[in-house]
């Protein structure tokens, strides 16, 4: 009886026997489905094809591969039973299986300990990230803060508070390098290098944290393909440098941890006792850590919260530092040395010759220096949302921010990683979580539109928590569940790595498109080129900086004055109207980059100048160059004189601009009218249109822009382009012989879209 009982399989053994058999079968089922979807042999052919691949696969796999290496094949089950055709998911499941199998093999033959080989791997991470970011780099000048940083870097000027002294000096050096066509491009490229270096340190930190190079790669790829991190890596900005200092500080903290652990292991001292005589290696590392944190905080004060967490973690790792005053000179020296970049502000104020953007004599005074460095003008923005209801709403926004950065599987991996690290390395797990949580909490209270950018330092510990989901090894308990548990880690690692890469693949097209975007130069250059002599450009912050760059760095149109219109206590539109009116009263033409229909009602009629608005006391008497002449009246009240199209063809979802030149007929008193443009297909359906109120100049020619965007479903072919008018107050067409009161301008082609529109729900036929 005992021999009979011994010969019987236990229930767990039976279960695993079935699972092992399934791992030999599922690759064939997967291959059969993929081939059937590709070849489309019909239902009967698909069944036969799947039977062949299943039988052949089971025979080959049983003879060629050990059973332990086939466990990851269970991932293929997901697509075997997936209810729809989806090549992307099919490819992802195959990649997960291959990577998990390779990882399982390496875990058997390689002992996962930190080794010097991690440094060459980090160099590869740096090179790969730099190539990616340079391939998707913003190619030219940029608007808003990025444009300001390009400008002050080229001039060695001073940016808005807190000034970013260290970044300005480094960026200025970058502008002197013989790389790229313009100084603006070189400043953009600097961000790519800084971001790539950040990922290298994230990789090294993850390897030290988990003893797994695969975990380091997952952390680096997930962070490197995060939406904002990638965007900042391709544009001039100060956020990439804050993330770099956060990553470097965490890496130095882990170096110190490992050195202290090695010393304690060799000397026999516990974590709660003094570690003996001072060790020069930790002291030097503590000096570098203090220097890094000080440079980071002087670069941008928001890093102080992560710096506090790292400082507390250091004291927890090495409590003897508090009891050994002789060692204090190391962190104090690092902190003081990190303040030296601030000397740039008074030095620049004293040495600048001529007008340099942002440089003022006040920077050489103590009050002016502190006002700028401490950004006292923005002190009301920090902790602006502290009321419980407001803070809760803002924290929910932080959740949206994280889901905007990372795929939900990566976010789940971060939570799992925190749980695993909490059981294995409690202090570091709490330090990383605290760094992320504190910086996120403070960002939630900050009143600024760049929330996703202010969160940049918090993304670094989040990526390291993700790495924590891949522990060094899974202990084998000696039962049948051990094989499954051993396989779960490679399978999880493969899932996270493929998700991180897929995140990048999906976002690549958008950043590649931005690599071809010269919008800022086109906008600013058009304004300066076509601006009347000695005119004034009133610009918002978005466009003031590229205009200043073209003037100060490239010497464009020095006769034109560019003034930034900053917000005041009055409504912003009224500020613009007041300044436009005051400048016109001086007899000068004004170009405004901002439009407010209500506030501008009391101003003379404007005409379009590129995408801006020209206000002038001089009447236009002739058509601009490049216009097509017209001779047509609408309702006996307005005369159409000509038109201009900015493109030879229309494309679905791409805006085209039609500018119509017209004037009231002498002696007629037209009511307030609205001009319209219709793009009409052969079936009479309107494929695109715009209606816009059109105030007329009292004398001369009025130019009115109409922007037409063909709908997504617009088919290629020839379309009719109409323009017309109706009374604004009642919507009735102007009286005319033709009841529709519209004129056929031209037959225009609609072309096929250059690339399909982005969607998260693609269809496969």
């Amino acid at each position: 009886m005992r021999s009979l009982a011994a010969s019987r399989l236990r229930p767990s053994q039976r279960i695993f026997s079935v699972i092992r058999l399934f791992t030999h079968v599922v690759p064939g089922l997967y291959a059969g489905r993929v081939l059937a979807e590709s070849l489309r042999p019909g239902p009967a052919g698909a069944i036969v094809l799947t039977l062949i691949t299943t039988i052949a696969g089971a025979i080959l796999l049983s003879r060629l591969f050990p059973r332990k290496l086939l466990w990851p094949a269970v991932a293929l089950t997901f697509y075997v039973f997936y209810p729809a055709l989806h090549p992307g998911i099919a490819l992802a499941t195959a990649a997960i299986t291959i990577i998990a199998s390779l990882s399982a093999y390496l875990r058997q033959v390689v002992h996962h300990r930190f080794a010097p080989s991690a440094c060459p791997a980090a160099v590869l991470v740096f090179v790969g990230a730099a190539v990616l970011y340079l391939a998707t780099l913003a190619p030219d000048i940029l608007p808003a803060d990025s444009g300001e940083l390009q400008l002050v870097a080229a001039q060695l000027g001073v940016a808005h508070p807190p000034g970013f002294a260290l970044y300005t000096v480094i960026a200025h050096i970058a502008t002197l390098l013989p790389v790229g066509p313009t100084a603006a491009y070189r400043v953009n490229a600097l961000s790519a290098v800084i971001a790539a270096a950040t990922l290298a340190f994230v990789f090294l930190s993850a390897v030290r944290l988990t003893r797994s190079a695969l975990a380091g790669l997952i952390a680096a790829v997930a962070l490197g393909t995060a939406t904002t991190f990638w965007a900042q890596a391709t544009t001039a900005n100060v956020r990439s440098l804050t993330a770099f200092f956060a990553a470097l500080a965490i890496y130095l903290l882990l170096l110190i941890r490992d050195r202290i652990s090695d010393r304690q292991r060799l000397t026999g001292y516990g974590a709660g006792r003094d570690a003996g005589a001072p060790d020069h290696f930790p002291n030097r590392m503590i000096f570098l850590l203090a220097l890094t944190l000080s440079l980071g905080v002087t670069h941008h004060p928001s890093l102080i919260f992560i710096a506090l967490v790292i400082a507390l973690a250091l004291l927890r790792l090495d409590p003897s530092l508090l009891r050994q005053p002789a060692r204090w000179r190391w962190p104090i020296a690092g902190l003081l040395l990190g303040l030296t970049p601030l000397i740039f502000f008074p030095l620049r104020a004293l040495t600048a010759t001529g007008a340099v953007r942002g440089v003022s004599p006040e920077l050489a005074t103590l009050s002016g220096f502190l006002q700028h460095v401490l950004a006292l003008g923005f002190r009301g923005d920090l902790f602006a949302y502290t009321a419980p209801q407001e803070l809760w709403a803002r924290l929910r926004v932080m959740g949206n921010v994280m889901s905007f950065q990372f795929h939900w599987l990566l976010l789940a991996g971060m939570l799992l990683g925190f749980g695993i690290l909490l059981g294995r390395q409690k202090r570091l797990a709490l330090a990383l979580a605290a760094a992320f949580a504190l910086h996120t909490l403070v960002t939630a209270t900050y009143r600024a539109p760049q929330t996703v950018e202010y969160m940049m330092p918090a993304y670094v510990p989040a990526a390291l928590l993700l790495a924590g989901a891949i522990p060094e090894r899974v202990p084998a308990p000696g039962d049948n569940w051990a094989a499954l548990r051993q396989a779960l880690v490679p399978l999880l690692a493969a899932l996270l790595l493929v998700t991180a890469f897929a995140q990048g693949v999906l976002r690549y097209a958008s950043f590649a498109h931005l690599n071809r975007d010269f919008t800022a130069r086109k906008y600013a250059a058009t304004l300066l080129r076509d601006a009347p002599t000695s005119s004034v450009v009133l610009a918002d912050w978005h466009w003031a900086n590229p205009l200043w760059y073209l003037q100060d760095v490239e010497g464009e149109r020095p006769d034109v004055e560019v003034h930034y219109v900053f917000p005041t206590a009055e409504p912003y539109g009224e500020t613009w109207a007041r300044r436009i009116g005051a400048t016109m009263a001086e007899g000068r033409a004004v170009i405004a980059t901002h439009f407010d229909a209500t506030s501008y009602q009391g101003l003379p009629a404007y005409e379009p100048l590129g995408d801006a608005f020209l206000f002038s006391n001089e009447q236009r008497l002739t058509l601009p160059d490049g216009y097509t002449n017209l001779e047509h009246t609408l309702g006996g009240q307005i005369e159409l004189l000509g038109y201009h199209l900015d493109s030879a063809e229309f494309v679905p979802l791409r805006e085209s601009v039609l500018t119509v030149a017209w004037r009231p007929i002498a002696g007629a008193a037209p009511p307030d009218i609205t001009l319209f443009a219709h793009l009409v297909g052969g079936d009479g359906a309107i494929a695109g249109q715009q209606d816009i109120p059109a105030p007329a100049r009292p004398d001369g020619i009025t130019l009115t822009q109409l922007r037409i965007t063909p709908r997504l479903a617009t088919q290629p072919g020839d379309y009719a382009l109409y323009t017309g008018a109706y009374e604004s107050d009642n919507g009735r067409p102007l009286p005319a012989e033709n009841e529709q009161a519209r004129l056929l301008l031209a037959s225009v082609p609609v072309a096929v879209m250059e690339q399909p529109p982005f969607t998260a729900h693609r269809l496969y036929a």
Side-chain angles (χ1 to χ4, degrees), residues 223-364:
L223 178 60
T225 58
T227 308
T228 301
F229 190 92
W230 194 343
Q232 297 295 289
T234 58
T235 58
N237 72 93
V238 297
R239 315 298 175 193
S240 294
L241 195 55
T242 59
F244 170 80
F245 282 125
L248 179 57
I250 293 174
Y251 174 69
L252 292 173
L253 179 68
L254 292 172
L255 272 180
I256 295 170
R257 186 279 307 262
D258 288 347
R259 185 64 183 91
I260 292 175
S261 297
D262 292 342
R263 184 180 60 184
Q264 291 172 348
R265 186 167 54 253
L266 292 174
T267 61
Y269 280 86
R273 302 177 58 185
D274 289 352
D279 190 309
H280 294 292
F281 181 81
N283 286 340
R284 290 196 299 270
M285 291 298 102
I286 290 173
F287 165 78
L288 291 176
L289 178 59
L291 175 61
T292 298
L293 294 176
S294 182
L295 287 173
V297 172
T298 54
H299 167 65
H300 201 284
S302 65
L303 206 60
I304 192 171
F305 303 102
I306 288 182
L308 290 174
V309 173
I310 292 177
L312 292 175
L314 173 65
L315 294 176
R316 193 75 176 90
L317 290 172
D318 189 8
S320 64
L321 184 61
L322 288 176
R323 296 188 290 271
Q324 296 176 348
R327 299 174 63 197
W328 294 356
R329 66 180 185 272
W330 295 97
I332 292 175
L335 292 174
L336 293 177
L337 185 60
L339 299 177
T340 54
L342 299 179
I343 301 175
F344 167 77
F345 296 121
L347 284 179
R348 194 66 180 121
L350 294 173
T351 60
T353 57
V356 179
R357 192 67 58 183
V359 176
S360 65
E362 286 76 14
L363 291 173

Side-chain angles (χ1 to χ4, degrees), residues 2-173:
R2 289 183 179 178
S3 62
L4 180 61
S7 65
R8 293 178 179 175
L9 294 176
R10 293 193 301 269
S12 63
Q13 292 176 320
R14 295 175 183 172
I15 293 173
F16 281 99
S17 296
V18 174
I19 294 177
R20 291 189 187 105
L21 177 62
F22 185 68
T23 59
H24 288 77
V25 173
V26 70
L29 294 173
Y30 171 86
R33 171 169 178 173
V34 172
L35 288 174
E37 290 175 342
S38 302
L39 302 177
R40 301 185 181 183
I47 294 174
V48 173
L49 185 62
T50 303
L51 285 174
I52 294 173
T53 57
T54 301
I55 295 172
I59 294 173
L60 291 175
L61 292 174
S62 62
R63 294 183 178 182
L64 297 178
F65 293 95
R67 288 181 300 178
K68 292 182 179 180
L69 296 184
L70 289 177
W71 280 105
V74 297
L76 297 174
T77 309
F78 181 79
Y79 191 67
V80 169
F81 295 104
Y82 191 75
L85 167 64
H86 199 301
I89 293 180
L91 180 62
T93 52
I96 290 170
T97 300
I98 294 171
I99 295 173
S101 299
L102 180 61
S103 176
Y105 172 74
L106 293 176
R107 288 171 68 84
Q108 289 186 7
V109 300
V110 178
H111 186 54
H112 283 255
R113 296 285 296 174
F114 179 80
S117 60
C119 294
V123 173
L124 292 178
V125 169
F126 171 83
V127 172
V131 169
L132 174 65
Y133 295 147
L134 290 174
T136 55
L137 194 71
D140 205 357
I141 58 175
L142 296 167
D145 287 359
S146 293
E148 182 200 24
L149 295 174
Q150 293 170 330
L151 174 60
V152 299
Q155 287 189 316
L156 202 58
V158 176
H160 68 274
F164 319 113
L166 178 63
Y167 175 86
T168 301
V169 173
I170 297 174
H172 179 69
I173 295 173

Side-chain angles (χ1 to χ4, degrees), residues 289-586:
L289 178 59
L291 175 61
T292 298
L293 294 176
S294 182
L295 287 173
V297 172
T298 54
H299 167 65
H300 201 284
S302 65
L303 206 60
I304 192 171
F305 303 102
I306 288 182
L308 290 174
V309 173
I310 292 177
L312 292 175
L314 173 65
L315 294 176
R316 193 75 176 90
L317 290 172
D318 189 8
S320 64
L321 184 61
L322 288 176
R323 296 188 290 271
Q324 296 176 348
R327 299 174 63 197
W328 294 356
R329 66 180 185 272
W330 295 97
I332 292 175
L335 292 174
L336 293 177
L337 185 60
L339 299 177
T340 54
L342 299 179
I343 301 175
F344 167 77
F345 296 121
L347 284 179
R348 194 66 180 121
L350 294 173
T351 60
T353 57
V356 179
R357 192 67 58 183
V359 176
S360 65
E362 286 76 14
L363 291 173
T365 66
L366 180 60
S367 60
F369 172 80
L370 294 177
Q371 178 79 15
H372 199 85
V373 169
L374 299 179
L376 296 180
F378 298 103
R379 58 181 177 270
D381 294 337
L382 190 61
F383 302 117
Y385 303 112
T386 55
Q389 186 175 0
E390 291 180 339
L391 182 58
W392 173 243
R394 292 286 294 176
L395 290 175
R396 290 168 60 190
V397 172
M398 297 300 105
N400 293 336
V401 168
M402 291 300 293
S403 63
F404 177 65
Q405 306 301 327
F406 302 100
H407 190 277
W408 69 267
L409 284 174
L410 299 179
L411 295 175
M414 294 172 189
L415 294 176
L416 177 62
F418 172 66
I420 293 175
L421 284 177
L422 200 59
R424 293 171 175 266
Q425 303 180 59
K426 182 177 180 180
R427 294 177 182 176
L428 284 175
L430 292 176
L432 292 174
F436 169 80
L438 183 58
H439 189 88
T440 301
L441 177 64
V442 173
T443 303
T445 70
Y446 193 70
R447 183 174 54 202
Q450 305 92 346
T451 301
V452 293
E453 299 173 15
Y454 279 96
M455 281 283 288
M456 284 273 287
Y459 303 149
V460 173
L464 294 177
L465 288 175
L466 175 64
I470 312 302
E472 178 181 357
R473 58 188 176 87
V474 178
D479 58 25
N480 284 317
W481 293 101
L484 179 60
R485 297 177 64 180
Q486 287 284 2
L488 283 179
V489 172
L491 196 59
L492 176 62
L495 175 63
L496 295 177
L497 184 61
V498 170
T499 302
F501 272 110
Q503 176 176 268
V505 170
L506 291 175
R507 294 169 181 173
Y508 176 81
S510 297
F511 289 105
H513 175 75
L514 294 176
N515 175 248
R516 304 184 296 272
D517 184 8
F518 292 86
T519 301
R521 176 175 290 274
K522 179 181 177 182
Y523 182 98
T526 298
L527 263 60
L528 292 178
R529 182 193 66 228
D530 297 338
T533 303
S534 300
S535 59
V536 175
V537 177
L538 298 180
D540 49 23
W541 183 248
H542 192 82
W543 293 118
N545 288 297
L547 288 164
W548 285 330
Y549 179 95
L550 290 179
Q551 285 190 315
D552 297 352
V553 179
E554 299 185 4
E556 296 288 337
R557 292 298 301 270
D559 63 299
V560 175
E561 295 182 19
V562 178
H563 297 165
Y564 166 49
V565 180
F566 52 87
T568 61
E570 66 180 334
Y572 198 43
E574 294 181 11
T575 301
W576 279 85
R578 175 173 52 79
R579 295 193 60 174
I580 292 171
T583 306
M584 292 186 69
E586 299 173 0

